[in-house]
Amino acid sequence: MRRFALLIGILLSGTVFAASEQVPADLAAISAKAGLEGPVAKWCRSEFRPGHPGAFAVAVPSNTGGGRYLVVETSGRTFPLASYSGHPYLSCYSPAEVRKLNDTIAKSDTIQGQVQPLWPTTVVCGFVENTHAVCWQYSPAKNSFVKVGEWVT
């Protein structure tokens, strides 16, 4: 079932997660500026907040297993999203892609949940547990990222 969810993410995502073997130079510089401890395991690049291009959603693994998802901007500012267990899966979606993903979830017999973008900005989704994905989007009113949906496979 998780593979089905991964397939949905890969098919619908304009920016799919990337592996940590070779982080882009700008991500390495931003990570150092932000003081991230440890390597970046997965990432996707987008403009999560209007006027702040070149940001990344990242998965930073822990030495004890699992890790945490963050958004890191070019200034070094970070926004925590959530902790995850197991292996990270992370993807960035446009609002149109999220609506297609939501339609796919609604039609599925094996996946329960929904995802609804609230603003015209990028949505980032990550599996926080093996079969549980959560999605976040930046809220201008709260000046932070808020949950805009989730699904369970």
Side-chain angles (χ1 to χ4, degrees):
M1 290 198 205
R2 171 128 191 241
R3 289 179 193 211
F4 180 70
L6 291 172
L7 180 60
I8 288 172
I10 291 168
L11 292 175
L12 293 178
S13 178
T15 307
V16 180
F17 60 89
S20 65
E21 291 94 31
Q22 192 76 325
V23 299
D26 55 344
L27 175 55
I30 292 168
S31 296
K33 188 184 288 186
L36 296 185
E37 295 179 14
V40 172
K42 305 283 184 199
W43 71 85
C44 53
R45 179 192 318 249
S46 192
E47 181 174 338
F48 300 98
R49 295 192 311 146
H52 298 272
F56 289 86
V58 299
V60 179
S62 164
N63 291 334
T64 59
R68 58 194 174 118
Y69 294 125
L70 308 159
V71 168
V72 184
E73 294 184 336
T74 57
S75 66
R77 182 175 182 189
T78 62
F79 293 89
L81 298 175
S83 296
Y84 65 87
S85 61
H87 296 288
Y89 167 85
L90 185 67
S91 191
C92 295
Y93 298 97
S94 71
E97 291 167 328
V98 169
R99 286 187 282 278
K100 288 179 188 176
L101 175 60
N102 190 61
D103 290 345
T104 301
I105 291 168
K107 293 174 187 172
S108 173
D109 293 332
T110 59
I111 302 173
Q112 293 82 41
Q114 67 175 8
V115 183
Q116 295 294 329
L118 301 175
W119 300 278
T121 54
T122 301
V123 174
V124 59
C125 299
F127 274 85
V128 294
E129 295 175 351
N130 193 32
T131 60
H132 181 199
V134 178
C135 300
W136 304 270
Q137 194 174 30
Y138 179 76
S139 166
K142 294 186 177 182
N143 193 28
S144 66
F145 283 77
V146 297
K147 186 167 79 169
V148 293
E150 62 188 312
W151 72 87
V152 177
T153 60

